[in-house]
Amino acid sequence: MEVLRDMQIQGTKVPHLVILPLPFQGHINPMLQLATLLQSKGFSITLIHTHFNSPNPSNYPNFNFEPIPDGLSDSQLWTEDPVKILYFLNDTCQAPFHDRLSRLLSDGPVTCIITDEIFYFTKAVADQLKLPRILLNTGSATYATTTASLKLLQQNGLLSITDGQPNTLIPEIPPLRIKDIPDIGTTDPDTFEQLGANVLNAMRSTLGYIMNTFDDLESTALAKIRQDIHPMPLFAVGPLCKFSPGSSNSLLTQDYSCMAWLDKQAPQTVIYVSFGSTASFDKRNVVEIAWGLANSDQPFLWVIRRGSIHGHDQVELPEGFEEKTRERGQIVNWAPQQKVLAHPSVGGFWTHNGWNSTLESICEGVPMICSPYLWDQNLNARYVSHVWRVGIQLENGFDRSEIEWAIRRLMVEIEGKDIRERVRDLKENAMHCIEKGGSSYESLDGLVDIIMSL
Ligand code: UDX
């Protein structure tokens, strides 16, 4: 770090990092947080990004932004299976990424590429241009180890479960049940297999592996990954949402009017409801959510993302809902989530348990109600409710009485008080990890050192 500062003072060219995020909100956020953190350490940053879901350059005046074409059409975005989109992007982005990087290299040196691990095509480009590459995995360490263990167990016929009931515990990977196994929700499992194999292949000969988590939260999983990927160093530098001095990375406009509404609510009374950037629901679910909130008698702030209700562009709420909740409910299209969670009025987060939302909730000491949807969310929810014990899981989808009961348990009952205490402890651990001498702080130093050694 001292070396970087000296270079800046002497006017020497500082090391130049090329950053490539995967263009989805849950992946862009941690990558831009990481880039901001590295820039605060003195690196110069070029962000190469797809046209699709491109971040807003005005939020990062000190980054150099370089767009590349991605070939995605609007119709593909609406109709295509997400796994196929990931596969497609890996194909179409390779040549433009190579060209853009070659052009950057003709202007001056590039020290290293940092890319989302799902962009496996970057290995071929980095090899051709003889550039070192570091990967960012934006999910939890437990997700990474569980998917690897499951695959091995399945391949070797060692999974002991036979009954296929959703609530059956899987003895080999406690405390997960069948229904907690990551669900990719793809119609094309073969392409998913191939995608996973390509990601794994492209991990070879990388300089390092970065994860958005912290030792106090996932020590066992992190130890296992360290062992499995050795000698490649692992840098657990999370929670990035707190570690990184942040500008907004939001792709949608965040509605700040809810902050003034929150100011008017009593401390720790509001349940914040948001299911992330990709989950979608049918009308029946929305009706149950609405009545669950209305009947709980608790103030709520509910994010209903435009387009998240199947077949409905506009939000239509059940009759009578508005009158019943006018005094204590607020609905927005998209919220400044981290700020909302940090607001003293917020006492609970009903979430889909995307990894960013889970970390953001822990970092603000806000207990959760868990309604996982897809991908890693089932597993995250199970860890929130049964390992870290900082939330309650809704086990049967969306049912108004179960919702009402979960909100009361979390916000009013004594059980909620214990959960709140545990999440506050976890928040403290997170804060220690990013302080000087903490595990994530040290990991970041290690990452900077390895880049500086190039
Ligand atoms: C996706 C996957 O669904 C998830 O399982 C995986 O872990 C990451 O990628 P997503 O649905 O985007 O995640 O959820 P999440 O990881 O929680 O990220 C959502 C981000 O959007 C958060 O950083 C959150 O702060 C932000 N957000 C959400 C807002 O800024 N405003 C909102 O109203 C809602």
Side-chain angles (χ1 to χ4, degrees):
M1 248 76 76
E2 290 304 317
V3 182
L4 270 170
R5 220 165 291 134
D6 291 348
M7 289 170 101
Q8 282 170 326
I9 292 163
Q10 289 160 16
T12 323
K13 260 201 168 309
V14 292
H16 178 197
L17 306 179
V18 167
I19 307 277
L20 178 71
L22 193 77
F24 297 94
Q25 187 72 76
H27 291 254
I28 288 174
N29 284 5
M31 185 60 100
L32 285 180
Q33 287 156 355
L34 175 69
T36 307
L37 194 54
L38 289 168
Q39 193 191 37
S40 76
K41 296 289 176 199
F43 292 102
S44 116
I45 305 285
T46 292
L47 195 91
I48 298 189
H49 62 90
T50 54
H51 286 298
F52 163 60
N53 274 348
S54 61
N56 182 353
S58 65
N59 290 334
Y60 299 89
N62 298 320
F63 289 5
N64 172 35
F65 280 77
E66 298 282 348
I68 52 170
D70 48 64
L72 267 179
S73 66
D74 279 356
S75 65
Q76 257 174 311
L77 283 169
W78 285 110
T79 57
E80 199 73 281
D81 186 296
V83 165
K84 282 192 184 152
I85 291 186
L86 293 178
Y87 206 77
F88 179 86
L89 284 174
N90 266 288
D91 195 30
T92 52
C93 291
Q94 181 165 342
F97 182 68
H98 179 280
D99 291 354
R100 196 52 60 116
L101 206 47
S102 306
R103 239 185 296 152
L104 282 173
L105 281 165
S106 65
D107 290 342
V110 168
T111 315
C112 180
I113 303 168
I114 300 184
T115 170
D116 194 296
E117 69 165 352
I118 293 175
F119 267 154
Y120 56 78
F121 75 83
T122 53
K123 176 167 179 6
V125 177
D127 288 350
Q128 279 160 10
L129 299 175
K130 299 198 169 26
L131 284 172
R133 203 170 60 112
I134 296 179
L135 306 179
L136 171 66
N137 176 333
T138 59
S140 74
T142 311
Y143 176 59
T145 52
T146 306
T147 42
S149 306
L150 262 175
K151 207 172 167 65
L152 263 183
L153 288 164
Q154 275 160 345
Q155 274 168 356
N156 298 321
L158 292 175
L159 265 188
S160 59
I161 38 162
T162 48
D163 68 3
Q165 292 302 314
N167 287 317
T168 303
L169 273 170
I170 308 173
E172 292 79 11
I173 43 171
L176 299 186
R177 301 158 299 178
I178 295 198
K179 71 179 190 187
D180 305 318
I181 290 181
D183 174 5
I184 305 309
T186 180
T187 52
D188 189 349
D190 291 344
T191 304
F192 180 67
E193 277 291 304
Q194 191 56 54
L195 187 81
N198 292 353
V199 169
L200 213 61
N201 249 333
M203 275 178 74
R204 280 181 296 120
S205 69
T206 45
L207 193 64
Y209 198 63
I210 306 172
M211 296 205 79
N212 183 18
T213 186
F214 53 102
D215 272 2
D216 282 356
L217 188 69
E218 296 196 281
S219 57
T220 311
L222 283 170
K224 176 145 186 17
I225 297 175
R226 283 199 173 96
Q227 186 190 323
D228 290 352
I229 65 172
H230 182 79
M232 175 171 44
L234 168 67
F235 304 103
V237 296
L240 285 166
C241 58
K242 270 290 169 192
F243 202 0
S244 174
S247 327
S248 168
N249 323 302
S250 190
L251 296 169
L252 298 174
T253 307
Q254 295 173 318
D255 183 345
Y256 273 78
S257 66
C258 58
M259 299 307 289
W261 179 83
L262 283 174
D263 288 343
K264 294 190 209 122
Q265 310 304 316
Q268 284 179 23
T269 55
V270 176
I271 177 102
Y272 168 62
V273 187
S274 171
F275 303 110
S277 66
T278 55
S280 57
F281 305 91
D282 61 34
K283 187 82 195 295
R284 255 176 320 133
N285 297 147
V286 177
V287 170
E288 292 302 305
I289 296 171
W291 285 123
L293 288 171
N295 298 340
S296 75
D297 279 338
Q298 211 61 36
F300 63 86
L301 169 61
W302 182 8
V303 176
I304 308 184
R305 209 182 67 249
R306 194 155 297 130
S308 64
I309 306 174
H310 300 152
H312 296 265
D313 207 30
Q314 298 297 324
V315 183
E316 274 174 51
L317 293 165
E319 232 182 279
F321 171 78
E322 212 188 310
E323 291 105 80
K324 185 154 183 186
T325 60
R326 193 172 292 130
E327 299 300 315
R328 61 181 170 88
Q330 181 87 347
I331 294 177
V332 292
N333 175 48
W334 194 244
Q337 179 161 300
Q338 278 186 250
K339 293 204 163 49
V340 166
L341 289 168
H343 195 285
S345 297
V346 172
F349 181 14
W350 182 7
T351 168
H352 71 314
N353 289 112
W355 186 237
N356 295 290
S357 294
T358 304
L359 283 179
E360 288 161 14
S361 205
I362 289 173
C363 284
E364 300 307 338
V366 177
M368 288 165 255
I369 295 176
C370 309
S371 286
Y373 175 69
L374 274 181
W375 300 87
D376 53 337
Q377 299 153 17
N378 299 336
L379 183 149
N380 297 342
R382 185 69 172 163
Y383 268 69
V384 164
S385 58
H386 279 75
V387 177
W388 306 314
R389 295 167 59 229
V390 294
I392 294 169
Q393 182 161 356
L394 283 178
E395 296 287 359
N396 304 301
F398 296 102
D399 168 81
R400 65 184 76 182
S401 15
E402 204 184 327
I403 294 166
E404 181 189 341
W405 176 223
I407 295 175
R408 284 180 184 280
R409 276 170 70 199
L410 194 74
M411 307 293 284
V412 184
E413 304 288 324
I414 187 82
E415 185 186 357
K417 196 167 160 279
D418 295 343
I419 297 178
R420 197 173 303 278
E421 270 166 27
R422 281 194 289 274
V423 74
R424 284 201 184 128
D425 289 347
L426 217 45
K427 171 188 174 172
E428 258 178 46
N429 292 347
M431 295 310 119
H432 285 146
C433 282
I434 57 177
E435 279 165 10
K436 196 169 175 21
S439 61
S440 298
Y441 189 99
E442 298 287 321
S443 257
L444 179 67
D445 276 358
L447 175 63
V448 171
D449 286 347
I450 207 165
I451 300 172
M452 290 303 296
S453 70
L454 291 168

